[in-house]
Amino acid sequence: MRKPVMAGNWKMYKTAGETAAFFQKFGPVVAGSSHAEIVICPAFVNVPAAVEAARSTSIEVGAQDVFWLKEGAYTGEVSAPMLAAAGCKWVIIGHSERRQYFGETDETVFKKTVAALEAELRPIVCVGERLEEREAGSTETVLATQCAGGIRGLSAEQFARIVIAYEPVWAIGTGKTATPEIAGAAHRFLREYLQARFGAEPAAACRILYGGSVKPDNIKGLMAQPDIDGALVGGASLDPASFAAIVNFG
Ligand code: PEP
């Protein structure tokens, strides 16, 4: 009932030329992959190259961040209407690297999510605990707090249009994937939280992606967990063959 989403987060990698070269190899291999929604999130400056390369494929393009106001004197920022006009359909919000290095908070996550939805973008809202928080036994408290600040204030109609990504910070870019059981338990907790806030049906319909060192050889085990509905993939999404193997995990 929940169509998987396989999203690549390219972080600060690839030029426009490398973006086009990726799509040339990746596009044909996933051309028949209608079982999942496929999203590539390049750096802002490469969105036009990605949109152009994805034309006449079912691959959609997303951004890695967005500002919450439509326009104004905010040097360096990019607004949701600008992203939509450039051809983006999705946007990652609240990635742990933005929280860690660029002062992202649950409050800004909420404002960005609302702004993205107003521009008809589909937010992928990221949550996840740091290693010391997991070791202290506070994973669920952290996830509940991030959800409370970041998405709890959404209306039912707004909530129906978001995707959540559970990304344990200790698993991102480290090669330490959460085991399917650890990831599955966190996803189950998140779905229960969503059920309490938004109701059983909306919570059951919400896609919750896993992110953190997803690779071709661990995606199948992760996807076997009932509450894991796809993946947000960093490093392994940069190589066309490896991301195609993740998309076509079955
Ligand atoms: C990410 O950037 O969201 C991510 C999960 O990275 P990686 O797959 O490299 O751990």
Side-chain angles (χ1 to χ4, degrees), residues 133-144:
E133 293 167 333
R134 172 159 288 272
E135 286 174 348
S138 50
T139 296
E140 294 186 353
T141 309
V142 170
L143 297 181

Side-chain angles (χ1 to χ4, degrees), residues 69-132:
L69 294 176
K70 290 193 174 78
E71 61 180 10
Y74 300 98
T75 302
E77 294 296 330
V78 177
S79 74
M82 290 173 187
L83 293 176
C88 280
K89 302 284 185 216
W90 299 77
V91 58
I92 299 170
I93 296 175
H95 191 278
S96 66
E97 287 153 14
R98 303 240 34 111
R99 292 178 189 259
Q100 196 177 346
Y101 306 129
F102 302 103
E104 188 86 270
T105 64
D106 296 333
E107 193 191 337
T108 61
V109 168
F110 178 70
K111 292 200 282 192
K112 290 177 177 189
T113 302
V114 171
L117 289 168
E118 275 172 10
E120 304 291 333
L121 297 170
R122 314 212 54 188
I124 299 174
V125 179
C126 302
V127 296
E129 80 286 1
R130 299 195 308 268
L131 182 60
E132 58 272 29

Side-chain angles (χ1 to χ4, degrees), residues 56-68:
S56 74
T57 76
S58 61
I59 306 162
E60 294 188 324
V61 176
Q64 298 172 18
D65 189 23
V66 63
F67 192 56
W68 57 83

